[in-house]
Amino acid sequence: MRILAIDVGTGTQDIMIYDSEKELENAIKLVLPSPHLFISQKIREIENDLYLKGEIMGGGKIKNTLLEHMEKGYEVVMNSTCAKTIRDNIEQVKALGIKISDDEENYRGYTKINLGDINITKLSEFLLGYDLEFDFDKIAIAVQDHGYNENMGDRDFRFEKIREKVSEPISPLKFGFKDEVPEYFTRMQAVRRQVKSEGIEELPLVMDTKFASIAGMCYDEIAEKLNSFIVIDIGNGHTTAASIENGKIQGVFEHHTSSLTGESLERYIKRLASGEITHEEVYNDHGHGAHVLNPIEKIEKVIVSGPKRELIEKTNLDWHHAAPGGDVMMTGTVGLIKTIME
């Protein structure tokens, strides 16, 4: 089986081409800039009015780059779909001075830019340039999706959906969507539409980046020998931790990385393991929240991943940098591949 796995993060998009006839260590791997970074750079280089079209994607730097572009005196117009990259509420996008229009023909003199987390055509051209076969049995893609509910803030809604998923001890692999994706996960829906628009008929598996990483960390060679442990992804924006026992998530907390110190991180991890952590203490500390079903017997080790993972070194915990398949950058893609295979 050949699987194309793409994990779209804030800093990088990590890509793995897995072939079941080869060792995981021999998989083709790419680490490229996250799409919002090169789109933002492209906008900075343009001296003209802009018309943005395409799909909802991870906004990252795009919002601020567009505001800077308008400060130079240029007009920015977005179609009603990709405008949700900035905010799900279109009225809030308009309030920034961005115009909304689905009539591209009215903006012929404007520079056109396509938004989207995935560009299968560009990736295929790159791989074919190295005489690599672009033929896959399955495709899996991870993006971070807060979900959207017009009556609830995004951090509240995101954690409510995490809490609903972890209503009982659950394997991290269960966070993947193989069939229908709930409508409120607008970014995952956009990824599927984009892949379909590029001529791929089979629906890709989609998954949240944090839980793809958590799934992948569990297949690190050290983690596979453990029974009661913590996995934690310390990302550029968010830090997500799960307590694992008997192969299942027993509790989870999610925080903003910038709000954490070594001391607070160690405290939260220990309280997650003991089952004492509360949603209120994390939420009131500007995090997303916490949810615990059961304490775990002990912390045999903390398995850590993510671009800001060095924060764990400021704790007194027994930690290990996850490297499933021998690569610290591929926890998310390995999680995607394992989700498809299991």
Side-chain angles (χ1 to χ4, degrees), residues 218 220-229 300:
C218 292
D220 172 85
E221 64 177 1
I222 298 296
E224 287 187 304
K225 299 174 183 177
L226 307 174
N227 184 58
S228 300
F229 58 101
E300 295 176 352

Side-chain angles (χ1 to χ4, degrees), residues 142-199:
V143 294
Q144 188 170 56
D145 197 332
H146 282 71
Y148 175 62
N149 183 316
E150 62 182 5
N151 300 314
M152 190 180 296
D154 60 0
R155 69 172 176 144
D156 299 86
F157 189 64
R158 173 176 171 79
F159 204 80
E160 178 179 284
K161 293 305 170 186
I162 292 173
R163 186 186 295 110
E164 287 178 4
K165 193 76 173 178
V166 190
S167 60
E168 61 183 7
I170 185 175
S171 165
L173 303 178
K174 297 297 184 181
F175 275 83
F177 291 100
K178 296 180 180 179
D179 299 312
E180 292 299 317
V181 177
E183 290 185 7
Y184 47 76
F185 285 136
T186 56
R187 191 176 173 191
M188 292 185 189
Q189 292 276 8
V191 163
R192 281 197 163 173
R193 289 196 300 269
Q194 196 172 2
V195 169
K196 185 177 181 180
S197 73
E198 296 197 61

Side-chain angles (χ1 to χ4, degrees), residues 243-313:
S243 53
I244 306 290
E245 192 163 83
N246 300 322
K248 295 183 177 181
I249 295 174
Q250 306 294 332
V252 61
F253 80 80
E254 189 166 80
H255 212 306
H256 292 103
T257 303
S258 60
S259 298
L260 290 168
T261 64
E263 181 182 355
S264 64
L265 182 61
E266 181 173 344
R267 182 178 70 252
Y268 284 135
I269 287 174
K270 288 180 175 178
R271 288 175 61 78
L272 175 66
S274 67
E276 297 173 286
I277 195 171
T278 66
H279 175 77
E280 290 72 23
E281 69 180 291
V282 177
Y283 188 85
N284 293 336
D285 191 33
H286 310 293
H288 285 174
H291 174 63
V292 179
L293 296 169
N294 304 299
I296 59 174
E297 184 179 354
K298 59 181 177 178
I299 303 176
E300 295 176 352
K301 197 174 287 289
V302 176
I303 308 297
V304 61
S305 182
K308 300 292 186 181
R309 62 186 178 276
E310 288 185 359
L311 181 61
I312 201 72
E313 297 177 13

Side-chain angles (χ1 to χ4, degrees), residues 121-139:
T121 301
K122 189 173 184 178
L123 179 59
S124 66
E125 291 171 351
F126 179 84
L127 294 175
L128 290 169
Y130 283 87
D131 293 327
L132 295 171
E133 187 178 5
F134 196 82
D135 183 21
F136 303 102
D137 299 294
K138 299 287 182 180
I139 296 176

Side-chain angles (χ1 to χ4, degrees), residues 78 83-84 86-100:
M78 305 182 77
K84 294 179 181 179
I86 309 303
R87 295 293 297 177
D88 284 294
N89 187 322
I90 295 298
E91 294 305 314
Q92 292 179 0
V93 181
K94 291 179 180 178
L96 296 172
I98 297 171
K99 295 185 178 180
I100 308 298

Side-chain angles (χ1 to χ4, degrees), residues 18-68:
Y18 172 75
D19 188 332
S20 59
E21 295 184 359
K22 300 178 181 179
E23 299 85 1
L24 187 61
E25 286 79 358
N26 284 320
I28 301 297
K29 293 174 280 190
L30 301 171
V31 179
L32 303 173
S34 188
H36 77 95
L37 294 176
F38 59 75
I39 289 175
S40 294
Q41 183 59 41
K42 184 176 181 179
I43 292 169
R44 291 191 188 97
E45 295 170 354
I46 294 170
E47 300 293 337
N48 193 19
D49 298 322
L50 295 176
Y51 183 85
L52 289 84
K53 55 184 179 176
E55 277 293 353
I56 303 166
M57 65 176 292
K61 294 181 178 295
I62 292 175
K63 173 187 169 183
N64 287 338
T65 306
L66 291 177
L67 292 177
E68 291 168 5

